[in-house]
């Protein structure tokens, strides 16, 4: 496998990777970009480019994590395959969950409510989020 092939795979993975609406400030694509930069993939995230500049709160452990990875194209193949397997949901298809796992008898609507909350979270205002937080602290029963 050549460096250009690795770069093409990483570029394709980055174009297919879903956007993280819940945490737009910390997407997983930055991690993928960091692995891909040594192979010629240009980063899309502006914070990735600025991460090489030390900030006042940066310590020695974070500086070491910013250094480029030193791997060969052959060593990247398992990483690329792992990313493709996540994109294709191979594990969810191979090991499907039984309906009872997502509907526990103690609280059958828990996961449905959780998913609704996760879908609503990016559109909430600061005030709505605070009110919901206070509601969760008060027992209504």
């Amino acid at each position: 496998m050549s460096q250009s092939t690795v770069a093409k795979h990483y570029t394709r993975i980055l174009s297919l990777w879903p956007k993280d609406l819940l945490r737009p400030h910390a997407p997983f694509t930055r991690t993928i970009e960091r692995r891909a930069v040594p192979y010629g993939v240009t980063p899309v995230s502006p914070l990735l480019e600025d991460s090489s500049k030390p900030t006042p709160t940066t310590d020695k452990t974070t500086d070491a994590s910013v250094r480029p990875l030193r791997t060969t194209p052959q060593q990247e193949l398992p990483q690329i395959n792992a990313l493709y397997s996540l994109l294709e949901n191979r594990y969810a298809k191979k090991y499907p969950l039984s309906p009872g796992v997502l509907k526990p008898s103690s609280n059958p609507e828990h996961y449905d409510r959780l998913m609704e909350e996760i879908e609503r979270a990016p559109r909430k205002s600061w005030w709505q989020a605070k009110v919901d937080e206070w509601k969760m602290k008060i027992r209504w029963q």
Side-chain angles (χ1 to χ4, degrees):
M1 178 178 282
S2 68
Q3 284 197 349
S4 64
T5 307
V6 170
K8 287 177 187 174
H9 281 295
Y10 274 128
T11 304
R12 181 169 185 266
I13 288 168
L14 286 167
S15 69
L16 295 174
W17 204 264
K19 303 293 181 230
D20 190 352
L21 298 176
L22 191 58
R23 292 168 299 194
H25 59 282
F28 186 65
T29 51
R30 283 198 199 133
T31 305
I32 299 170
E33 287 174 350
R34 183 175 170 275
R35 287 205 68 99
V37 165
Y39 297 99
V41 176
T42 56
V44 178
S45 304
L47 293 177
L48 180 67
E49 295 165 357
D50 295 337
S51 66
S52 61
K53 299 174 187 171
T55 58
T57 59
T58 309
D59 60 355
K60 291 181 182 179
T61 55
T62 8
D63 288 340
S65 66
V66 174
R67 291 189 194 121
L69 301 170
R70 306 266 187 239
T71 59
T72 64
Q74 289 299 339
Q75 291 171 328
E76 284 298 309
L77 187 59
Q79 309 302 325
I80 290 169
N81 285 335
L83 290 171
Y84 277 126
S85 69
L86 290 173
L87 275 173
E88 296 167 1
N89 284 333
R90 279 186 216 163
Y91 307 108
K93 293 174 186 172
K94 187 173 181 178
Y95 306 106
L97 295 175
S98 67
V101 170
L102 296 176
K103 303 245 184 242
S105 56
S106 62
N107 191 358
E109 295 88 25
H110 174 73
Y111 290 107
D112 295 331
R113 289 182 190 154
L114 182 63
M115 289 307 296
E116 288 172 12
E117 180 64 26
I118 288 172
E119 289 171 4
R120 273 196 323 259
R123 295 185 300 272
K124 279 187 189 178
S125 69
W126 177 86
W127 179 249
Q128 289 171 324
K130 280 294 175 194
V131 168
D132 285 347
E133 183 181 330
W134 293 332
K135 284 181 184 176
M136 296 301 288
K137 292 181 179 180
I138 299 171
R139 289 195 168 233
W140 296 102
Q141 294 177 351

